[in-house]
């Protein structure tokens, strides 16, 4: 008689988050350095992204900007990775592996913990106090930066 292999248990679920909207939570202990999921979605150029979202100044986004200027828009073709929230004290990180983005754990994670990574969002314009407020962070970390925007380094005077 053929033996039926049991499906591996999913290591995380999507449910409501205390940080924002939906979030992704561990269902089991996950070791440090585990590759959890790819951030999937439609690939757009910067120009296509600007065209699509030109009139949209809502800070809520399912966009992931790559270093080469391309953008992954998880609004179409996205998976559970698009629900992972930002934290200023993240337990995961987004890793670029040959232009594909994977979410990996930075440390061992306990069941029930929310999975988060640092979004490192950089807007072209100056990160004014108003903009930082618009992108206010609610991660609740002891050293929360107060914004999900990346803190821009001050330029040195020459
Ligand atoms: C990719 S979605 C993450 C899923 C989101 N919770 C939802 O339900 O749609 C990214 C958006 O979630 C919100 N978000 C994520 N992390 C946040 C945080 N730490 N504080 C406040 N808002 C956050 C922001 O609006 C951000 O643009
Ligand atoms: Zn924070």
């Amino acid at each position: 008689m053929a033996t039926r292999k049991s499906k591996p248990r999913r290591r995380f679920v999507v449910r409501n988050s205390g940080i924002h909207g939906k979030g992704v939570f561990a269902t089991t202990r996950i070791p440090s350095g585990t590759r959890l999921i790819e951030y999937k979605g439609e690939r757009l150029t910067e120009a296509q992204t600007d065209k699509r979202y030109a009139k949209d100044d809502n800070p809520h986004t399912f966009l992931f900007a790559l270093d080469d200027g391309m953008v992954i828009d998880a609004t179409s073709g996205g998976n559970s990775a698009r629900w992972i929230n930002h934290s200023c004290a993240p337990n995961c990180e987004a890793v670029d592996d040959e232009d594909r983005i994977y979410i990996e754990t930075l440390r061992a994670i306990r069941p029930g913990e929310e999975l988060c990574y640092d979004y490192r969002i950089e807007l072209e314009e100056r990160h004014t106090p108003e903009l930082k407020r618009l992108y206010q962070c609610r991660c609740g970390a002891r050293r929360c930066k107060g914004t999900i925007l990346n803190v821009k380094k001050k330029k040195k005077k020459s």
Side-chain angles (χ1 to χ4, degrees):
M1 200 173 77
T3 52
R4 228 175 26 156
K5 272 193 188 157
S6 59
K7 249 184 160 185
R9 210 179 132 206
R10 276 203 82 181
R11 289 178 290 192
F12 50 82
V13 286
V14 177
R15 63 175 162 83
N16 289 342
S17 162
I19 297 178
H20 176 277
K22 287 185 192 171
V24 179
F25 294 80
T27 52
T28 183
R29 190 186 172 283
I30 308 172
S32 178
T34 304
R35 183 166 284 191
L36 288 171
I37 189 168
E38 180 177 352
Y39 194 98
K40 286 199 172 168
E42 189 183 355
R43 281 185 180 242
L44 305 176
T45 62
E46 223 171 305
Q48 287 170 324
T49 313
D50 290 347
K51 199 171 164 203
R52 188 173 286 186
Y53 295 102
K55 288 189 191 121
D56 191 353
D57 55 5
N58 183 346
H60 182 274
T61 169
F62 285 121
L63 302 177
F64 192 109
L66 301 173
D67 289 343
D68 65 2
M70 293 295 286
V71 173
I72 302 174
D73 186 355
T75 315
S76 73
N79 57 8
S80 304
R82 72 183 190 272
W83 300 112
I84 301 177
N85 281 318
H86 160 97
S87 172
C88 301
N91 51 17
C92 294
E93 65 179 337
V95 177
D96 187 330
D97 186 351
E98 296 188 353
D99 281 344
R100 292 170 75 166
I101 300 298
Y102 298 92
I103 308 301
E104 297 183 2
T105 56
L106 280 168
R107 58 166 174 78
I109 294 176
R110 297 179 303 277
E113 264 192 83
E114 178 163 0
L115 306 175
C116 295
Y117 63 92
D118 186 339
Y119 283 8
R120 299 182 192 279
I121 299 176
E122 279 208 5
L123 303 177
E124 273 175 21
E125 60 262 56
R126 198 169 72 83
H127 292 178
T128 59
E130 298 81 64
L131 216 48
K132 286 182 186 167
R133 251 196 312 278
L134 194 63
Y135 285 83
Q136 191 185 355
C137 183
R138 298 192 180 84
C139 76
R142 203 153 46 95
R143 296 215 177 129
C144 175
K145 293 177 290 182
T147 173
I148 63 176
L149 294 175
N150 207 12
V151 177
K152 283 191 179 180
K153 288 199 182 83
K154 286 205 174 86
K155 283 193 185 126
K156 276 187 191 161
K157 282 183 193 159
S158 53

PDB file of all heavy atoms in Angstrom, residues 6-26:
ATOM      1  N   SER A   6       2.733  13.344   4.597  1.00  0.00           N
ATOM      2  CA  SER A   6       1.980  14.481   5.140  1.00  0.00           C
ATOM      3  C   SER A   6       2.631  15.768   4.638  1.00  0.00           C
ATOM      4  O   SER A   6       3.845  15.880   4.505  1.00  0.00           O
ATOM      5  CB  SER A   6       1.981  14.446   6.661  1.00  0.00           C
ATOM      6  OG  SER A   6       3.308  14.482   7.108  1.00  0.00           O
ATOM      7  N   LYS A   7       1.752  16.742   4.343  1.00  0.00           N
ATOM      8  CA  LYS A   7       2.223  18.030   3.836  1.00  0.00           C
ATOM      9  C   LYS A   7       2.995  18.743   4.935  1.00  0.00           C
ATOM     10  O   LYS A   7       2.583  18.704   6.087  1.00  0.00           O
ATOM     11  CB  LYS A   7       0.990  18.886   3.498  1.00  0.00           C
ATOM     12  CG  LYS A   7       0.779  19.128   2.048  1.00  0.00           C
ATOM     13  CD  LYS A   7      -0.384  20.056   1.893  1.00  0.00           C
ATOM     14  CE  LYS A   7      -0.398  20.751   0.571  1.00  0.00           C
ATOM     15  NZ  LYS A   7      -1.477  21.728   0.515  1.00  0.00           N
ATOM     16  N   PRO A   8       4.130  19.401   4.622  1.00  0.00           N
ATOM     17  CA  PRO A   8       4.819  20.132   5.689  1.00  0.00           C
ATOM     18  C   PRO A   8       3.918  21.261   6.209  1.00  0.00           C
ATOM     19  O   PRO A   8       3.243  21.917   5.429  1.00  0.00           O
ATOM     20  CB  PRO A   8       6.061  20.693   4.994  1.00  0.00           C
ATOM     21  CG  PRO A   8       5.835  20.553   3.548  1.00  0.00           C
ATOM     22  CD  PRO A   8       4.776  19.524   3.328  1.00  0.00           C
ATOM     23  N   ARG A   9       3.899  21.447   7.528  1.00  0.00           N
ATOM     24  CA  ARG A   9       3.034  22.451   8.133  1.00  0.00           C
ATOM     25  C   ARG A   9       3.497  23.839   7.706  1.00  0.00           C
ATOM     26  O   ARG A   9       4.696  24.103   7.649  1.00  0.00           O
ATOM     27  CB  ARG A   9       3.144  22.314   9.661  1.00  0.00           C
ATOM     28  CG  ARG A   9       1.893  22.706  10.376  1.00  0.00           C
ATOM     29  CD  ARG A   9       2.080  22.512  11.863  1.00  0.00           C
ATOM     30  NE  ARG A   9       1.645  23.689  12.560  1.00  0.00           N
ATOM     31  CZ  ARG A   9       2.085  24.079  13.731  1.00  0.00           C
ATOM     32  NH1 ARG A   9       3.007  23.376  14.355  1.00  0.00           N
ATOM     33  NH2 ARG A   9       1.618  25.158  14.295  1.00  0.00           N
ATOM     34  N   ARG A  10       2.536  24.722   7.383  1.00  0.00           N
ATOM     35  CA  ARG A  10       2.924  26.089   7.031  1.00  0.00           C
ATOM     36  C   ARG A  10       3.535  26.764   8.236  1.00  0.00           C
ATOM     37  O   ARG A  10       3.042  26.642   9.351  1.00  0.00           O
ATOM     38  CB  ARG A  10       1.690  26.874   6.568  1.00  0.00           C
ATOM     39  CG  ARG A  10       1.381  26.636   5.129  1.00  0.00           C
ATOM     40  CD  ARG A  10       0.570  27.771   4.572  1.00  0.00           C
ATOM     41  NE  ARG A  10       1.436  28.881   4.195  1.00  0.00           N
ATOM     42  CZ  ARG A  10       0.976  30.019   3.692  1.00  0.00           C
ATOM     43  NH1 ARG A  10      -0.314  30.208   3.554  1.00  0.00           N
ATOM     44  NH2 ARG A  10       1.801  30.978   3.349  1.00  0.00           N
ATOM     45  N   ARG A  11       4.595  27.500   8.000  1.00  0.00           N
ATOM     46  CA  ARG A  11       5.308  28.090   9.138  1.00  0.00           C
ATOM     47  C   ARG A  11       4.767  29.443   9.544  1.00  0.00           C
ATOM     48  O   ARG A  11       5.174  30.010  10.534  1.00  0.00           O
ATOM     49  CB  ARG A  11       6.799  28.196   8.800  1.00  0.00           C
ATOM     50  CG  ARG A  11       7.454  26.841   8.780  1.00  0.00           C
ATOM     51  CD  ARG A  11       8.893  26.947   8.395  1.00  0.00           C
ATOM     52  NE  ARG A  11       9.041  27.298   6.990  1.00  0.00           N
ATOM     53  CZ  ARG A  11      10.179  27.235   6.329  1.00  0.00           C
ATOM     54  NH1 ARG A  11      11.263  26.857   6.953  1.00  0.00           N
ATOM     55  NH2 ARG A  11      10.252  27.551   5.062  1.00  0.00           N
ATOM     56  N   PHE A  12       3.827  29.959   8.738  1.00  0.00           N
ATOM     57  CA  PHE A  12       3.263  31.270   9.107  1.00  0.00           C
ATOM     58  C   PHE A  12       1.849  31.400   8.544  1.00  0.00           C
ATOM     59  O   PHE A  12       1.462  30.674   7.621  1.00  0.00           O
ATOM     60  CB  PHE A  12       4.157  32.410   8.594  1.00  0.00           C
ATOM     61  CG  PHE A  12       4.511  32.279   7.140  1.00  0.00           C
ATOM     62  CD1 PHE A  12       3.637  32.696   6.146  1.00  0.00           C
ATOM     63  CD2 PHE A  12       5.720  31.706   6.754  1.00  0.00           C
ATOM     64  CE1 PHE A  12       3.966  32.574   4.806  1.00  0.00           C
ATOM     65  CE2 PHE A  12       6.049  31.568   5.414  1.00  0.00           C
ATOM     66  CZ  PHE A  12       5.175  32.009   4.442  1.00  0.00           C
ATOM     67  N   VAL A  13       1.075  32.320   9.146  1.00  0.00           N
ATOM     68  CA  VAL A  13      -0.291  32.600   8.668  1.00  0.00           C
ATOM     69  C   VAL A  13      -0.474  34.114   8.557  1.00  0.00           C
ATOM     70  O   VAL A  13       0.230  34.883   9.215  1.00  0.00           O
ATOM     71  CB  VAL A  13      -1.385  32.063   9.629  1.00  0.00           C
ATOM     72  CG1 VAL A  13      -1.513  30.578   9.540  1.00  0.00           C
ATOM     73  CG2 VAL A  13      -1.171  32.549  11.049  1.00  0.00           C
ATOM     74  N   VAL A  14      -1.461  34.503   7.752  1.00  0.00           N
ATOM     75  CA  VAL A  14      -1.820  35.919   7.633  1.00  0.00           C
ATOM     76  C   VAL A  14      -3.031  36.156   8.522  1.00  0.00           C
ATOM     77  O   VAL A  14      -4.020  35.420   8.438  1.00  0.00           O
ATOM     78  CB  VAL A  14      -2.180  36.263   6.159  1.00  0.00           C
ATOM     79  CG1 VAL A  14      -2.630  37.719   6.039  1.00  0.00           C
ATOM     80  CG2 VAL A  14      -0.996  35.986   5.233  1.00  0.00           C
ATOM     81  N   ARG A  15      -2.927  37.141   9.408  1.00  0.00           N
ATOM     82  CA  ARG A  15      -4.098  37.525  10.219  1.00  0.00           C
ATOM     83  C   ARG A  15      -3.967  38.983  10.642  1.00  0.00           C
ATOM     84  O   ARG A  15      -2.944  39.617  10.355  1.00  0.00           O
ATOM     85  CB  ARG A  15      -4.275  36.594  11.412  1.00  0.00           C
ATOM     86  CG  ARG A  15      -3.173  36.572  12.419  1.00  0.00           C
ATOM     87  CD  ARG A  15      -3.615  35.674  13.594  1.00  0.00           C
ATOM     88  NE  ARG A  15      -2.516  35.233  14.410  1.00  0.00           N
ATOM     89  CZ  ARG A  15      -1.963  35.942  15.401  1.00  0.00           C
ATOM     90  NH1 ARG A  15      -2.408  37.155  15.658  1.00  0.00           N
ATOM     91  NH2 ARG A  15      -0.962  35.445  16.112  1.00  0.00           N
ATOM     92  N   ASN A  16      -4.999  39.497  11.324  1.00  0.00           N
ATOM     93  CA  ASN A  16      -4.969  40.910  11.714  1.00  0.00           C
ATOM     94  C   ASN A  16      -3.785  41.192  12.631  1.00  0.00           C
ATOM     95  O   ASN A  16      -3.442  40.379  13.486  1.00  0.00           O
ATOM     96  CB  ASN A  16      -6.272  41.299  12.412  1.00  0.00           C
ATOM     97  CG  ASN A  16      -7.420  41.342  11.430  1.00  0.00           C
ATOM     98  OD1 ASN A  16      -7.200  41.418  10.219  1.00  0.00           O
ATOM     99  ND2 ASN A  16      -8.638  41.281  11.933  1.00  0.00           N
ATOM    100  N   SER A  17      -3.211  42.389  12.426  1.00  0.00           N
ATOM    101  CA  SER A  17      -2.008  42.764  13.182  1.00  0.00           C
ATOM    102  C   SER A  17      -2.277  43.980  14.057  1.00  0.00           C
ATOM    103  O   SER A  17      -3.038  44.871  13.674  1.00  0.00           O
ATOM    104  CB  SER A  17      -0.899  43.100  12.175  1.00  0.00           C
ATOM    105  OG  SER A  17       0.118  43.846  12.794  1.00  0.00           O
ATOM    106  N   GLY A  18      -1.615  44.033  15.185  1.00  0.00           N
ATOM    107  CA  GLY A  18      -1.701  45.213  16.055  1.00  0.00           C
ATOM    108  C   GLY A  18      -0.896  46.371  15.494  1.00  0.00           C
ATOM    109  O   GLY A  18      -1.064  47.510  15.914  1.00  0.00           O
ATOM    110  N   ILE A  19      -0.004  46.098  14.543  1.00  0.00           N
ATOM    111  CA  ILE A  19       0.813  47.166  13.946  1.00  0.00           C
ATOM    112  C   ILE A  19       0.005  47.899  12.879  1.00  0.00           C
ATOM    113  O   ILE A  19      -0.157  49.109  12.917  1.00  0.00           O
ATOM    114  CB  ILE A  19       2.121  46.589  13.328  1.00  0.00           C
ATOM    115  CG1 ILE A  19       3.009  45.950  14.414  1.00  0.00           C
ATOM    116  CG2 ILE A  19       2.875  47.684  12.597  1.00  0.00           C
ATOM    117  CD1 ILE A  19       4.291  45.310  13.883  1.00  0.00           C
ATOM    118  N   HIS A  20      -0.514  47.145  11.932  1.00  0.00           N
ATOM    119  CA  HIS A  20      -1.306  47.745  10.852  1.00  0.00           C
ATOM    120  C   HIS A  20      -2.029  46.642  10.084  1.00  0.00           C
ATOM    121  O   HIS A  20      -1.397  45.648   9.691  1.00  0.00           O
ATOM    122  CB  HIS A  20      -0.398  48.510   9.883  1.00  0.00           C
ATOM    123  CG  HIS A  20      -1.118  49.063   8.695  1.00  0.00           C
ATOM    124  ND1 HIS A  20      -1.390  48.311   7.575  1.00  0.00           N
ATOM    125  CD2 HIS A  20      -1.653  50.284   8.459  1.00  0.00           C
ATOM    126  CE1 HIS A  20      -2.041  49.045   6.700  1.00  0.00           C
ATOM    127  NE2 HIS A  20      -2.212  50.250   7.210  1.00  0.00           N
ATOM    128  N   GLY A  21      -3.322  46.833   9.844  1.00  0.00           N
ATOM    129  CA  GLY A  21      -4.094  45.933   8.968  1.00  0.00           C
ATOM    130  C   GLY A  21      -3.794  44.466   9.204  1.00  0.00           C
ATOM    131  O   GLY A  21      -3.838  43.973  10.330  1.00  0.00           O
ATOM    132  N   LYS A  22      -3.441  43.800   8.106  1.00  0.00           N
ATOM    133  CA  LYS A  22      -3.059  42.385   8.218  1.00  0.00           C
ATOM    134  C   LYS A  22      -1.556  42.268   8.397  1.00  0.00           C
ATOM    135  O   LYS A  22      -0.803  43.133   7.936  1.00  0.00           O
ATOM    136  CB  LYS A  22      -3.451  41.644   6.939  1.00  0.00           C
ATOM    137  CG  LYS A  22      -4.927  41.406   6.798  1.00  0.00           C
ATOM    138  CD  LYS A  22      -5.151  40.562   5.567  1.00  0.00           C
ATOM    139  CE  LYS A  22      -6.608  40.530   5.186  1.00  0.00           C
ATOM    140  NZ  LYS A  22      -6.801  39.900   3.879  1.00  0.00           N
ATOM    141  N   GLY A  23      -1.133  41.184   9.041  1.00  0.00           N
ATOM    142  CA  GLY A  23       0.293  40.917   9.210  1.00  0.00           C
ATOM    143  C   GLY A  23       0.528  39.423   9.053  1.00  0.00           C
ATOM    144  O   GLY A  23      -0.408  38.642   8.845  1.00  0.00           O
ATOM    145  N   VAL A  24       1.771  39.016   9.149  1.00  0.00           N
ATOM    146  CA  VAL A  24       2.135  37.607   8.996  1.00  0.00           C
ATOM    147  C   VAL A  24       2.753  37.122  10.308  1.00  0.00           C
ATOM    148  O   VAL A  24       3.649  37.776  10.856  1.00  0.00           O
ATOM    149  CB  VAL A  24       3.110  37.418   7.808  1.00  0.00           C
ATOM    150  CG1 VAL A  24       3.504  35.961   7.659  1.00  0.00           C
ATOM    151  CG2 VAL A  24       2.470  37.925   6.520  1.00  0.00           C
ATOM    152  N   PHE A  25       2.248  35.988  10.797  1.00  0.00           N
ATOM    153  CA  PHE A  25       2.643  35.497  12.122  1.00  0.00           C
ATOM    154  C   PHE A  25       3.178  34.069  12.035  1.00  0.00           C
ATOM    155  O   PHE A  25       2.623  33.229  11.313  1.00  0.00           O
ATOM    156  CB  PHE A  25       1.427  35.522  13.061  1.00  0.00           C
ATOM    157  CG  PHE A  25       0.942  36.922  13.339  1.00  0.00           C
ATOM    158  CD1 PHE A  25       0.142  37.590  12.422  1.00  0.00           C
ATOM    159  CD2 PHE A  25       1.300  37.568  14.510  1.00  0.00           C
ATOM    160  CE1 PHE A  25      -0.294  38.895  12.668  1.00  0.00           C
ATOM    161  CE2 PHE A  25       0.869  38.863  14.763  1.00  0.00           C
ATOM    162  CZ  PHE A  25       0.083  39.528  13.842  1.00  0.00           C
ATOM    163  N   ALA A  26       4.225  33.812  12.823  1.00  0.00           N
ATOM    164  CA  ALA A  26       4.814  32.468  12.850  1.00  0.00           C
ATOM    165  C   ALA A  26       3.843  31.512  13.543  1.00  0.00           C
ATOM    166  O   ALA A  26       3.195  31.875  14.525  1.00  0.00           O
ATOM    167  CB  ALA A  26       6.140  32.500  13.597  1.00  0.00           C
TER     168      ALA A  26
END
